Amino acid sequence: MSPRAVNFKAGNVIYMKGFRNSYVYILKSGVVSLNYQDIQTGQEDQDQIRTGELFGVKSALGSYPTDEQALALVDSTVLAFTVEEFEQVASSNTRIILKMLKVYSNQLRRIHRQVQNLLSTGESKKPEEGLFRIGLYYHNNQKFRQSTVSFERYLIHYPNGRFASEAREKIIYGKSMFANPDSSGEETGSLSPEIYSYSEAMEYYESGEFRKALKLFSRIHESQSKDSVESALRIGICLFRLGRSSDATIRLTDFIKKNGKSYFVPEALYYIGECYKSNRDTEKAISFYQKALSMSDPSQEVYVLITETLQKLEGGRK
Amino acid sequence: MNLDLSVFERFAVTYKPGDIIFCEYEPGDSFYLIQSGKVKIVKIFGNIEKTVDILHPGEFFGEMALLEEAPRSATIIADDHCKLLEFNKANFEILMKGNPQMALKLLRLFTKRIFDQKRRFMILTLDDLDAKIMDVFIMLYEIGNYISEDVESSGKVVYSHSIDDIAHWAGISPDECQPVLNNFSIQRKIELDHDKIIVKNINEFRRQVDSKRRRQESVEE
């Protein structure tokens, strides 16, 4: 088996766009143009292949339709390899593969960024802030094992960073949620019993099993453990989710009275608003959402929830 | 791919379920090969954590940041007790040069990822919501992500995806996706089962999407 040398006259098409190409080509002599449509702008674009360069690799290796047309601009000779032949050649010259890996890695990152831009959720954050926000996400969602690691990574890379002191505080808090944070034992083995039942309650809560979650949160709340306050809030939310709006309003109002400075007050206010909304009292619901919004921080999960709810309600009124 | 990786045993690292291997945005200085266990790739969009993919033994991750010295593009979390081989830039090149089969496998993986992303881009640039969702089904069929198919004789394809999955691929919220799927169901284009979605004729979806795309392109020109 050996590659075939194929001659193309100027203006000849080596392969068409959308063609199932099974060859990897190396330009031996001449000039070849790869003509393609830029997926972002829709404009026709072209890359010129120089002698010794490869083309057709992605479509041949992946058995995908080609996304470009290969055209000989002058009389050219190309070496056509089957995938098997190409792999044999590349195996004895891994520098080729490494070079291609870098090119593809760049292409992949570029298209990934374009996709993220379209999704409008991939706002390009500065890495420092982005990394801190990963920790914050886990922290706000009580996934303290993950938040602690994320903040520790933040401090490794940005020891004097903008969020360093906050990251340190949150690491201390996150670690306090573990009986033995540095234990190399099994993950649940190092947790105290009430933490374990709180995370179990949260699992039920997050999976929508509110009846089971309510039972566990009630138990934790009565135990007066350190999760007691948050459990009081969750009890109110579980009651709302179970359709018991008036009981939920009572519990959530009580939570705010007793924990006026808690981080979770905006969430409690939001769910009181939800109770009113479910009773079709939109005016009162909006006033609670607005109060919740004014007290919440944009980094809190509930902030987005409130903003979206308000937007929908206000949109519906127009 | 049979690789003798025993010489790389000194690079082995282990993780427990739930452990973060690295975080999105961290500078990348290492690359991993899974020897045992599974890891999940997650991304945080606003306040939602999405599992983008689950990787199994024999698969790589972290190679892009290493090649480009760019920040990590996702967070990786151990889904099981995992044993990984961890390489840095210097021994990555040694590993690749000494294991051309692995380098080729990585090359194939990149071509697949580029194809998938380009395909997703095409879905997202469709203006028409119905066409966008139809194109998600076409794409899932093209990449073989379905339970069964009978495209030759009837065009039928059975998927195990949830409405949330379809919405995610189409870049819309499940609330926006649900009425479109309900409408498709009323029009008998699909059947919505509790754990599966059946597209009655994927060829018809393809025809409609092609036509919408052509019309859109001619308007843009």
Side-chain angles (χ1 to χ4, degrees), chain A residues 39 61 64 67 87 91 94 101 105-106 108-109 115 119 130 137-138 143 145-146 153 157 187 304, chain B residues 16-22 25-26 44 47 49 64 68 71 77 97 100 108 110 112 117-118 121 171:
Chain A
I39 56 167
L61 282 190
Y64 304 123
D67 50 10
E87 289 190 345
S91 298
T94 40
L101 281 173
S105 173
N106 268 313
L108 186 56
R109 198 168 282 271
V115 167
L119 288 169
Y137 166 82
Y138 289 118
K143 294 182 175 175
R145 223 172 101 213
Q146 284 87 354
R153 299 281 173 90
H157 301 296
E187 57 169 348
V304 181
Chain B
K16 299 192 296 290
D19 280 351
I20 289 186
I21 297 155
F22 57 69
Y25 299 106
E26 254 192 281
I44 291 162
N47 284 293
E49 185 190 44
M64 284 205 297
E68 286 188 50
I77 300 179
K97 282 177 184 162
R108 282 180 185 273
F110 276 21
K112 182 184 181 313
Q117 288 288 326
K118 278 192 174 172
F121 189 91

Side-chain angles (χ1 to χ4, degrees), chain A residues 50-121:
Chain A
R50 287 172 295 186
T51 312
E53 284 186 338
L54 294 155
F55 60 101
V57 184
K58 271 185 295 194
S59 51
L61 282 190
S63 306
Y64 304 123
T66 54
D67 50 10
E68 79 259 321
Q69 177 204 52
L71 181 76
L73 293 181
V74 298
D75 290 354
S76 306
T77 303
V78 299
L79 296 176
F81 295 76
T82 62
V83 171
E84 207 184 357
E85 287 164 352
F86 169 73
E87 289 190 345
Q88 275 182 7
V89 173
S91 298
S92 58
N93 188 355
T94 40
R95 273 179 51 197
I96 297 177
I97 312 178
L98 278 171
K99 202 176 160 191
M100 288 168 68
L101 281 173
K102 284 190 184 173
V103 173
Y104 289 177
S105 173
N106 268 313
Q107 284 182 10
L108 186 56
R109 198 168 282 271
R110 198 164 57 235
I111 174 78
H112 179 74
R113 207 171 293 132
Q114 288 169 333
V115 167
Q116 292 306 309
N117 286 341
L118 282 178
L119 288 169
S120 72
T121 47

Side-chain angles (χ1 to χ4, degrees), chain A residues 128 132 151 154-155 158-173:
Chain A
E128 182 191 345
F132 177 74
F151 290 131
Y154 173 86
L155 289 175
Y158 308 102
N160 301 311
R162 190 147 74 97
F163 307 101
S165 59
E166 204 178 329
R168 282 191 191 97
E169 280 168 23
K170 288 188 162 41
I171 289 172
I172 293 167
Y173 182 79

Side-chain angles (χ1 to χ4, degrees), chain B residues 131-142:
Chain B
K132 204 176 259 192
I133 291 172
M134 284 181 198
D135 206 18
V136 169
F137 287 111
I138 297 169
M139 180 273 299
L140 291 171
Y141 170 65
E142 282 170 354

Side-chain angles (χ1 to χ4, degrees), chain A residues 37 39-40 57-62 64-65 67 83 86-88 90-92 94-95 97-98 100-109 111-116 118-119 121-131 133-134 137-138 140-141 143 145-147 149-150 153-154 157-158 183-187 298-304 312, chain B residues 15-29 32 40 42-50 63-68 70-73 75 77 81 89 92-94 96-101 103-104 106-125 142-143 168-172 175 217 221:
Chain A
Q37 193 179 28
I39 56 167
Q40 185 141 40
V57 184
K58 271 185 295 194
S59 51
L61 282 190
Y64 304 123
D67 50 10
V83 171
F86 169 73
E87 289 190 345
Q88 275 182 7
S91 298
S92 58
T94 40
R95 273 179 51 197
I97 312 178
L98 278 171
M100 288 168 68
L101 281 173
K102 284 190 184 173
V103 173
Y104 289 177
S105 173
N106 268 313
Q107 284 182 10
L108 186 56
R109 198 168 282 271
I111 174 78
H112 179 74
R113 207 171 293 132
Q114 288 169 333
V115 167
Q116 292 306 309
L118 282 178
L119 288 169
T121 47
E123 67 270 27
S124 65
K125 293 187 193 84
K126 285 186 178 151
E128 182 191 345
E129 187 185 343
L131 181 54
R133 292 208 172 274
I134 299 283
Y137 166 82
Y138 289 118
N140 291 343
N141 287 282
K143 294 182 175 175
R145 223 172 101 213
Q146 284 87 354
S147 69
V149 172
S150 308
R153 299 281 173 90
Y154 173 86
H157 301 296
Y158 308 102
S183 162
S184 56
E186 294 297 305
E187 57 169 348
S299 66
Q300 283 181 271
E301 189 173 4
V302 73
Y303 183 88
V304 181
K312 270 186 198 161
Chain B
Y15 289 91
K16 299 192 296 290
D19 280 351
I20 289 186
I21 297 155
F22 57 69
C23 292
E24 186 178 356
Y25 299 106
E26 254 192 281
D29 54 4
Y32 300 84
K40 56 181 183 179
V42 304
K43 278 186 79 84
I44 291 162
F45 297 108
N47 284 293
I48 299 164
E49 185 190 44
K50 270 255 171 209
E63 68 290 342
M64 284 205 297
L66 184 63
L67 288 167
E68 286 188 50
R72 302 290 193 190
S73 57
T75 300
I77 300 179
H81 286 275
K89 187 163 181 142
F92 169 79
E93 295 216 1
I94 295 169
M96 289 297 142
K97 282 177 184 162
N99 291 274
Q101 289 309 309
L104 279 167
L106 196 55
L107 199 62
R108 282 180 185 273
L109 177 73
F110 276 21
T111 61
K112 182 184 181 313
R113 285 191 184 165
I114 291 170
F115 177 81
D116 289 350
Q117 288 288 326
K118 278 192 174 172
R119 190 65 186 81
R120 185 148 196 230
F121 189 91
M122 285 172 67
I123 293 171
L124 296 171
T125 46
E142 282 170 354
I143 63 173
H168 166 70
W169 281 104
I172 56 175
D175 285 353
E217 280 169 5
E221 277 165 13

